[in-house]
Amino acid sequence: MSEREPPITYADWRQALEDDALLGLECRCGAVTATPKRACPACGSRELAARELPTTGTVDSETTIAVPPAGHDSGTVAVVDLGPARLLGRIDGAVEIGDRVVFAGARTADGEPAPVFEPEEN
Amino acid sequence: MTRATVVGAGMTEFGQHDRPLTELFADAAIPALADAGVGTDEIDALYFGNAMGGQTETDTHLAPAIGTHLGLGGVPCQRFEDACATSSTAFKQAVEAVEAGVHDTVLVGGVERCTPATGLDTAAMTEVFASATHRQYEQPTGLTFPGVFALFTKRHMHEYGTTEEQLAAVAVKNHRHGKANPYAHFGKDVTVEEVLEGPTVADPFRLLDCCPFSDGASAVVVTNPERAETVAGEPVAVAGVGHRTGTVPLAEKESLTATRPAREAATEAYDQAGVDPDAIDLAEVHDCFTGAEVLATEALGLIEDGRGGPAAAAGRTERGGEIPVNPSGGLKAKGHPIGATGTGQIAELTEQLRGAAGDRQVENATRGVAHNLGGDAATTVVTVMEAVA
Ligand SMILES: [Zn+2]
């Protein structure tokens, strides 16, 4: 049985994040996903190609977590619409739904990185 | 069309319990068997739910220990885990097994301990709960479950104008309902002002927008309609069970407000039962947070999209209102011992549809719906139950 290797894995995504890039996948159907998978969420195809994602986006929703889990600080998280795909990230600063944000690298708490966004300068 | 029949139900109080999971579950299972008039020698399988015992109590492979504790002999005993929908997926499997003739009679239920009686404080238990978010793409952000439903609810507020006062009205209603429920974790009224003045957990949710950490157990006895006629327990029919799965991580859901799996599971359950939402007399829904009840009432088709908040504030979802939602008090006031919540809803519908719910009885209740979600609602099970004439 021959099966294509996954174009990107979590390790690739994490390395990209730590190198200040957002790595996702694009399917031949045109669907884009912001986290690695073995198949397209839209059509199920496994013919996916790695692609860099836009680094600016719009806040779809956000909340400020005042009671964090052990190992984390309180702070704001948001669903960021990057255009072709959406991604959950940590927010450095204050934002509201509809605000423009820009990717600002990775933040590591409890050993693993998360994307960080900050309000876009006007 | 009856797929299977519930002939017995049992629950512990939801609250704080300092005893082993085996003993806590027995305190729901034995009353369920007694209510059914069924002996342990007549149980063909145990479908058992516990979501977090491995993390909270260093306790896994619980099904055989529970089976032994209850004297179930060598019948198959298995454990289910689907976060907060754990015992509903167990219930679904039991209904299917009975319907298919694999088993005649199945004991189904769940147990969980989430209070400080486990030795875990709020930060530690919050971390355990957060383990049901995506390990790589959500947990590193510090996301919590109040945070998950806050993201959904703030989007709903943005799209539909839902207000914090309307969210508070859900909490006020469910506390009022819970006061009439002897099994409930909370037995006191709260006011809109008290909700709005509470400490923030994840905006827009304040402490009283959130269900408590609870300990408890629930169990039901599921059998086929023929056998139900031969046992003492008053039967209640399972007319439909829908179960659908959504996208994780949550950022990739097509909508943050629709809870698509709930809509699809509801359609599936209503179709099996041959009914529309307007034929439903009461609903037990997964109000882990006030905003979650708003989303649930809309996804179930009980309230128009976008109107869940105003409906709660106007009393449409009160016991005695147009469509009573969470007459038990819901997760908000009855409590939320994760693995026990799903069959706890089935136990409540069983009592309501028997007309045996006492002070919290919904008048003329002949058909009810239960909505139990797991995680960020990516698991949702919807069950339609009917009184047997
Ligand atoms: Zn595709």
Side-chain angles (χ1 to χ4, degrees):
Chain A
M1 292 286 286
S2 75
E3 177 65 85
R4 296 159 61 92
E5 289 290 307
I8 59 167
T9 62
Y10 170 64
D12 300 320
W13 183 88
R14 175 179 177 151
Q15 187 62 54
L17 184 59
E18 288 168 344
D19 292 342
D20 291 333
L22 295 175
L23 195 57
L25 289 166
E26 182 158 1
C27 177
R28 60 181 181 174
C29 80
V32 176
T33 173
T35 56
K37 295 173 186 64
R38 289 302 297 270
C40 170
C43 77
S45 167
R46 289 195 290 273
E47 295 196 25
L48 304 169
R51 64 160 281 179
E52 283 208 12
L53 299 172
T55 54
T56 59
T58 306
V59 173
D60 250 17
S61 195
E62 55 78 27
T63 181
T64 299
I65 293 168
V67 181
H72 290 271
D73 300 327
S74 55
T76 301
V77 297
V79 175
V80 177
D81 187 347
L82 298 169
R86 293 191 296 186
L87 180 65
L88 184 74
R90 191 86 179 187
I91 299 292
D92 195 356
V95 295
E96 293 178 5
I97 292 175
D99 284 358
R100 297 287 298 169
V101 291
V102 60
F103 175 58
R107 170 187 180 279
T108 297
D110 222 17
E112 284 139 0
V116 177
F117 295 86
E118 58 190 25
E120 195 174 57
E121 301 287 333
N122 288 320
Chain B
M1 179 64 195
T2 300
R3 295 187 59 192
T5 307
V6 172
V7 290
M11 280 185 52
T12 67
E13 275 181 46
F14 288 179
Q16 187 149 330
H17 294 286
D18 197 2
R19 58 188 184 277
L21 293 174
T22 44
E23 295 179 9
L24 186 56
F25 184 69
D27 288 341
I30 289 171
L33 292 167
D35 182 43
V38 166
T40 46
D41 57 339
E42 298 171 274
I43 295 296
D44 301 313
L46 169 69
Y47 287 14
F48 164 78
N50 174 255
M52 313 182 309
Q55 292 155 281
T56 54
E57 328 216 17
T58 321
D59 204 352
T60 60
H61 201 219
L62 274 156
I66 301 262
T68 304
H69 192 70
L70 291 173
L72 294 179
V75 304
C77 298
Q78 59 186 317
R79 172 190 160 181
F80 292 77
E81 187 274 300
D82 287 297
C84 310
T86 285
S87 52
S88 283
T89 54
F91 178 74
K92 181 198 79 162
Q93 296 291 327
V95 167
E96 290 177 351
V98 164
E99 184 178 46
V102 174
H103 298 303
D104 287 333
T105 305
V106 180
L107 177 63
V108 194
V111 64
E112 205 83 50
R113 296 200 318 145
C114 310
T115 71
T118 56
L120 299 178
D121 64 11
T122 295
M125 192 58 74
T126 298
E127 184 183 22
V128 170
F129 277 47
S131 72
T133 65
H134 198 291
R135 182 68 188 89
Q136 285 76 39
Y137 308 121
E138 293 180 329
Q139 288 179 35
T141 67
L143 185 63
T144 61
F145 268 97
V148 166
F149 283 88
L151 289 168
F152 297 164
T153 300
K154 285 193 89 171
R155 187 71 204 176
H156 195 276
M157 297 167 89
H158 177 79
E159 291 181 9
Y160 298 110
T162 307
T163 67
E164 292 186 17
E165 289 74 12
Q166 290 164 355
L167 298 176
V170 173
V172 170
K173 167 183 72 75
N174 288 349
H175 273 264
R176 183 155 55 238
H177 287 173
K179 236 176 38 167
N181 186 349
Y183 302 112
H185 193 151
F186 292 135
K188 63 174 171 49
D189 275 322
V190 300
T191 64
V192 168
E193 293 69 33
E194 284 172 313
V195 178
L196 295 178
E197 287 165 10
T200 299
V201 175
D203 75 303
F205 298 143
R206 295 169 183 276
L207 184 61
L208 289 171
D209 285 288
C210 306
C211 69
F213 291 132
S214 306
D215 307 328
S218 64
V220 296
V221 177
V222 180
T223 192
N224 59 59
E226 297 71 39
R227 182 139 167 67
E229 291 179 14
T230 71
V231 304
E234 186 180 344
V236 176
V238 181
V241 186
H243 172 200
R244 289 303 171 97
T245 302
T247 304
V248 172
L250 70 88
E252 300 180 29
K253 294 180 193 299
E254 48 282 275
S255 164
L256 298 180
T257 57
T259 59
R260 176 181 57 78
R263 287 167 194 261
E264 294 178 352
T267 299
E268 192 180 8
Y270 293 150
D271 285 351
Q272 288 170 17
V275 300
D276 291 321
D278 59 12
I280 300 295
D281 300 316
L282 77 150
E284 283 289 313
V285 310
H286 197 95
D287 59 326
C288 44
F289 305 96
T290 51
E293 177 167 315
V294 169
L295 302 185
T297 56
E298 296 175 11
L300 292 172
L302 303 173
I303 301 291
E304 310 79 37
D305 279 344
R307 302 294 297 167
R316 291 172 65 193
T317 53
E318 289 271 353
R319 182 163 57 82
E322 174 190 328
I323 172 68
V325 175
N326 284 326
S328 71
L331 283 61
K332 173 71 266 266
K334 179 189 183 185
H336 184 26
I338 308 298
T341 289
T343 41
Q345 293 179 333
I346 302 301
E348 175 68 14
L349 289 188
T350 299
E351 290 211 321
Q352 289 282 353
L353 296 170
R354 285 170 168 175
D359 290 344
R360 67 186 190 284
Q361 181 66 46
V362 172
E363 281 184 39
N364 304 314
T366 60
R367 187 179 291 109
V369 66
H371 159 284
N372 181 208
L373 64 79
D376 63 5
T379 295
T380 306
V381 180
V382 175
T383 303
V384 175
M385 296 181 72
E386 296 176 345
V388 174

